[in-house]
Amino acid sequence: MPLAGGPAIHRYTVPDFMSDSWVAPPYKIDHSRERVTGIEMSPDGHAAVYVQAPTVPNGGIVGDSALLDPSGKQIALLDNDWPYQWTSDGTALVAWKAGAGLEAIRPDGSLLWGPVPNNQVYPRHLRVSRDGSTVLLSSSSNVMGAEGDVWRFDVRALAFTHMQELRGTPAFAPDGRIIAPRGPAAGGTTPEIKDDVIFDPRSGRVTTYAFPGDSGAWSSSPDRIVSFGPGLHPPQSQPTFRLLTAQADAVLTLDAHTLCVAPTQEGGGSASGWWAPPTWSVDGKSILFTATALGGGPGTF
């Protein structure tokens, strides 16, 4: 899509790379209902694409992924690698290979390093630092349930470190700092999250602020964070949008529940909505987020 406006341009059609060979008979993949459900583009146009489709006759969902060049030609099957993310310079696709571990693949499909196994990790989220030296893995997206162990992978040492107090979906700042919800203390009996944490791997410094929201999103400069999640005060099912400095000082707080929460129900109850983590524009002037009112359709703001 041209950023200056105009119609979208059709570049290519994703090839049919899903195979029935590993689906146990009598089940078959319904190829007519294949859908691209994940795509990660490198700066030069290479794409890691994840495709899902239902199986017949039981209606289960299966998925597979492949690496494509800028013309849409299939370079390599990724053996159901998921999740994955390109390094910022596009020289490697960092991926979790099911049954094997963490690995990095060059745009031509060859292996750069790995796979490095860790039988305690089965990630749903993966983040690569801007300099490509560190990878964060999280095993769950249920931030408010305090689930989702966070693991930090040092690419130079090819070693994992368990970040025991962090939960949810961590995010990198441009300068390598990490923001994530703080999990329960060791030996704790409650999953409740009390605050978020900014961790500096270079100094070991930890900054906390009392806001149990989804993991923050950093602006293109490291001095602004946006956090979007449940509010500090009841009803906490109503999300609050906060713009923060990197020192955890609040610059702006907006009560966003009018966008995200259905009208008050009879009897005084309130219906909560669903929201996705926000994303900054490259120039740092806009923030994009998605919210869905209970019983309504999704909206992007």
Side-chain angles (χ1 to χ4, degrees):
M1 244 181 158
L3 293 181
I9 302 169
H10 179 214
R11 292 291 301 274
Y12 57 78
T13 299
V14 174
D16 182 4
F17 52 78
M18 293 190 71
S19 171
D20 290 274
S21 62
W22 57 274
V23 180
Y27 305 121
K28 294 291 183 181
I29 297 174
D30 183 355
H31 293 279
S32 67
R33 296 174 63 191
E34 289 182 5
R35 296 290 184 270
V36 175
T37 56
I39 184 167
E40 283 283 339
M41 300 290 293
S42 73
D44 71 355
H46 280 78
V49 177
Y50 190 74
V51 174
Q52 287 185 320
T55 59
V56 290
N58 68 337
I61 300 294
V62 295
D64 210 346
S65 54
L67 177 62
L68 311 180
D69 74 7
S71 71
K73 179 183 177 182
Q74 181 178 307
I75 300 297
L77 288 174
L78 298 178
D79 296 325
N80 203 26
D81 286 10
W82 183 266
Y84 38 62
Q85 184 181 345
W86 290 96
T87 56
S88 60
D89 60 6
T91 58
L93 177 72
V94 180
W96 179 262
K97 187 173 184 177
L102 192 66
E103 64 182 10
I105 305 163
R106 298 184 181 92
D108 64 4
S110 62
L111 193 65
L112 179 62
W113 53 257
V116 181
N118 186 334
N119 59 12
Q120 296 178 280
V121 178
Y122 192 84
R124 291 184 59 186
H125 297 274
L126 182 153
R127 298 289 184 269
V128 182
S129 64
R130 180 170 291 187
D131 64 2
S133 66
T134 307
V135 182
L136 294 177
L137 299 170
S138 173
S139 59
S140 175
S141 60
N142 188 0
V143 176
M144 297 317 298
E147 297 178 1
D149 282 356
V150 175
W151 291 80
R152 181 168 166 249
F153 182 77
D154 186 324
V155 173
R156 297 183 181 95
L158 297 180
F160 287 95
T161 301
H162 186 201
M163 305 185 75
Q164 296 185 6
E165 290 192 355
L166 303 188
R167 295 292 186 271
T169 52
F172 279 110
D175 61 5
R177 283 175 297 169
I178 298 167
I179 184 171
R182 183 193 292 277
T189 58
T190 173
E192 184 179 3
I193 291 176
K194 294 293 187 182
D195 50 33
D196 282 7
V197 175
I198 301 173
F199 172 69
D200 188 338
R202 297 162 298 188
S203 65
R205 180 183 177 186
V206 174
T207 304
T208 63
Y209 55 98
F211 182 65
D214 291 343
S215 294
W218 296 84
S219 66
S220 55
S221 59
D223 60 349
R224 287 290 186 271
I225 307 163
V226 64
S227 190
F228 188 54
L232 288 172
H233 307 292
Q236 290 176 324
S237 59
Q238 296 185 352
T240 300
F241 178 100
R242 297 186 97 205
L243 182 64
L244 307 165
T245 70
Q247 290 73 42
D249 300 318
V251 177
L252 176 68
T253 299
L254 297 176
D255 197 7
H257 72 273
T258 53
L259 298 176
C260 316
V261 179
T264 302
Q265 298 173 334
E266 292 184 13
S270 104
S272 63
W274 174 90
W275 53 90
T279 301
W280 286 82
S281 63
V282 176
D283 62 9
K285 295 181 179 180
S286 302
I287 300 167
L288 189 74
F289 63 94
T290 302
T292 304
L294 189 67
T300 301
F301 303 91

